[in-house]
Amino acid sequence: MRTLKGRLLLGLSGTLLLLVALLLGLAWQVGKTLVLETNMAHLRYEARLLADEVTQQVELRIDALQRLDRIIGYSDDPEWLSYELRHNDTMMAWFDGIVVIGRDGRVIADWPSVVGRVGLDTSDTEFFKMVRGTRQPHMSEPFTGRASNAPMVLVSVPRINDSGEFVGMVGGVLSLDSGGLFSRLAKVRLGEQGYAGVATASGTILYHPEVTLINTEIAVPAANPLLDQALDGWQGDGVGELFSGQIGLQAYTQVWPANWIIGLFLPNEQAQLPLSGFIHKLGWMWLSLAILMMPILWFLLGRL
């Protein structure tokens, strides 16, 4: 009788443990899908917010430069321009420096004054050629300042006289080493390993938590198909291999006025961490419950 009772108890225990394992497996699969959808929705939302904020920051800076252009007029007198720049010191809330460039591409005046900047020839630079050719506001590709030796970008607006002639440009310097335009991105928290980054459409990194990568080229964009599409103007999200080699969640949005891409990245391991902890606790709870039920089953089998 006791042998039969033990066999029945063993069979019920095995069935219970199998049921617990099946329930845990089902909970893991359903939970993974829900966690993926939730994290992806969060990345999409955060990416849109960041893109809207950076777009607004770029547009406000362009507007500020256009107002300054109307104030200083079309004079090429270095003393007059320096005087006007000094008396529009509020521009320093938007930029790390202001330069006025003449029609020949030489810097006429700057503020604050940087030794060696006035007189620099920018006629062969990408930003001068673009502004002179399009006569539209332009965000430059990142470059290393010849006078400051720091990575930066230049927001530029053309100077057009009453006759419609191009007479130079006004530029606002934005340093990529300091906060400013990307200060909001530094506050993004996506767990311990998630992060946000900004790159130009040409594939140069403008912002990254690892500062040594700033102003460097993205290594082999084709290795990440989602990023490769984003560099071509695509906006969206998906799961793919990150530069660290991990599989992760990615979301991309475009900052059209500057021709930039904002990307948010979250390793899959980090995204699944809360679910793993929950399933682990749930498994121990169910195992404890199964062990506590053994004496009850033993008693009931004895009664039967």
Side-chain angles (χ1 to χ4, degrees), residues 38-54:
T38 301
N39 279 298
M40 200 63 83
H42 173 67
L43 285 185
R44 280 196 300 268
Y45 176 72
E46 189 71 32
R48 289 195 193 101
L49 283 181
L50 290 173
D52 289 344
E53 183 170 335
V54 174

Side-chain angles (χ1 to χ4, degrees), residues 258-269:
N259 210 20
W260 293 344
I261 300 101
I262 293 181
L264 267 66
F265 308 92
L266 181 64
N268 198 45
E269 179 183 347

Side-chain angles (χ1 to χ4, degrees), residues 145-178:
R146 283 178 281 180
S148 62
N149 200 33
M152 59 183 64
V153 292
L154 190 72
V155 189
S156 310
V157 297
R159 301 176 69 198
I160 309 295
N161 63 20
D162 295 333
S163 302
E165 298 175 335
F166 174 79
V167 294
M169 54 182 273
V170 181
V173 178
L174 292 174
S175 174
L176 299 179
D177 282 342
S178 56

Side-chain angles (χ1 to χ4, degrees), residues 118-242:
V118 172
L120 277 178
D121 184 6
T122 66
S123 59
D124 60 343
T125 60
E126 164 265 339
F127 57 82
F128 183 80
K129 292 177 180 177
M130 184 64 72
V131 174
R132 182 177 59 186
T134 64
R135 301 191 180 187
Q136 295 293 325
H138 175 68
M139 179 71 74
S140 78
E141 290 288 313
F143 61 93
T144 300
R146 283 178 281 180
S148 62
N149 200 33
M152 59 183 64
V153 292
L154 190 72
V155 189
S156 310
V157 297
R159 301 176 69 198
I160 309 295
N161 63 20
D162 295 333
S163 302
E165 298 175 335
F166 174 79
V167 294
M169 54 182 273
V170 181
V173 178
L174 292 174
S175 174
L176 299 179
D177 282 342
S178 56
L181 196 62
F182 302 128
S183 58
R184 169 76 170 84
L185 275 73
K187 300 174 184 176
V188 172
R189 291 292 178 266
L190 300 171
E192 294 181 1
Q193 302 175 41
Y195 63 93
V198 183
T200 66
S202 61
T204 302
I205 298 173
L206 293 170
Y207 172 82
H208 193 281
E210 190 175 337
V211 295
T212 56
L213 295 177
I214 293 176
N215 205 20
T216 63
E217 297 295 322
I218 296 175
V220 196
N224 185 337
L226 295 175
L227 175 57
D228 201 27
Q229 293 179 65
L231 294 175
D232 290 333
W234 172 76
Q235 299 186 106
D237 52 75
V239 179
E241 185 174 336
L242 305 178

